[in-house]
Amino acid sequence: MNKRLMLVRHGQANSGIYGNSDFNRTLSNTGINEAQELAFRLKNKALIPSFLLSSPAVRAISTAQIFAGIWGKEIGEIATEENIYESSIKQLLKNVNALNDRSNFVAIFGHNPEISAFAEYLTYDEFNQMPTCGVAVIEFPFENWEMVSGSTGKLSLFDYPGADTAL
């Protein structure tokens, strides 16, 4: 069965507070609303990944938890990978290539600029900067995640909070 990858940029975060690390920034009320809006929209389209992988940064894992709750998944089902925070295209690709082939639809919750650059790398579509809580669903004509590489994916959906229409 072909593979599908959902790339999700975390929801809008609160500004950094002096003395707090960037890693610990929380979602703003707007970010919470963005995550709820997109999770419900994807649920209504029956686009619910079987496996969720997130950066452990507070704003990313919080976004993943909101999505999981709306999708009827347990928060404990969300896997975290430290190298998604302050990542690179090369590292994100390593994470994708290492995914278990039993999962045909996977979501990765991450950060800009890397998540947007990774979407561009996989599809050769231009994303510039994905808006907060932006979602790109990319389809691959492979049965194995290790086959995924640059320009091998086709963008099947791009959506974000407040969008009137999506691809």
Side-chain angles (χ1 to χ4, degrees):
M1 182 171 212
N2 293 349
K3 302 299 182 200
R4 283 194 296 175
L5 180 65
M6 178 183 289
L7 299 176
V8 183
R9 180 181 177 196
H10 63 76
Q12 183 186 83
N14 287 310
S15 298
I17 298 171
Y18 182 75
N20 264 1
S21 70
D22 177 69
F23 186 89
N24 291 319
R25 288 175 50 212
T26 58
L27 289 177
S28 66
N29 288 337
T30 298
I32 292 167
N33 291 335
E34 289 173 340
Q36 291 171 338
E37 175 186 339
L38 262 292
F40 277 117
R41 196 177 304 162
L42 294 166
K43 181 179 180 178
N44 290 338
K45 294 179 181 182
L47 288 172
I48 300 176
S50 59
F51 182 69
L52 309 181
L53 180 63
S54 179
S55 157
V58 172
R59 60 195 181 276
I61 192 69
S62 297
T63 301
Q65 290 170 345
I66 292 168
F67 275 69
I70 290 169
W71 290 344
K73 295 186 171 288
E74 297 293 324
I75 288 176
E77 292 182 65
I78 304 168
T80 58
E81 179 55 64
E82 287 189 32
N83 64 33
I84 296 174
Y85 178 70
E86 295 183 344
S87 195
S88 65
I89 290 172
K90 184 177 179 179
Q91 186 56 60
L92 289 168
L93 182 60
K94 282 183 183 179
N95 290 336
V96 169
N97 291 155
L99 289 169
N100 188 318
D101 288 327
R102 287 185 295 233
S103 295
N104 293 315
F105 190 15
V106 173
I108 296 178
F109 295 82
H111 309 268
N112 261 357
E114 297 85 5
I115 206 83
S116 294
F118 190 49
E120 286 183 5
Y121 170 78
L122 293 174
T123 63
Y124 211 63
D125 285 303
E126 285 192 33
F127 284 85
N128 297 318
Q129 291 293 319
M130 230 190 262
T132 53
C133 229
V135 173
V137 177
I138 302 166
E139 297 185 10
F140 300 94
F142 309 122
E143 293 185 16
N144 305 95
W145 286 109
E146 65 186 14
M147 302 289 294
V148 172
S149 63
S151 301
T152 60
K154 181 180 186 319
L155 184 67
S156 62
L157 179 128
F158 178 62
D159 204 353
Y160 54 91
D164 288 333
T165 58
L167 177 71

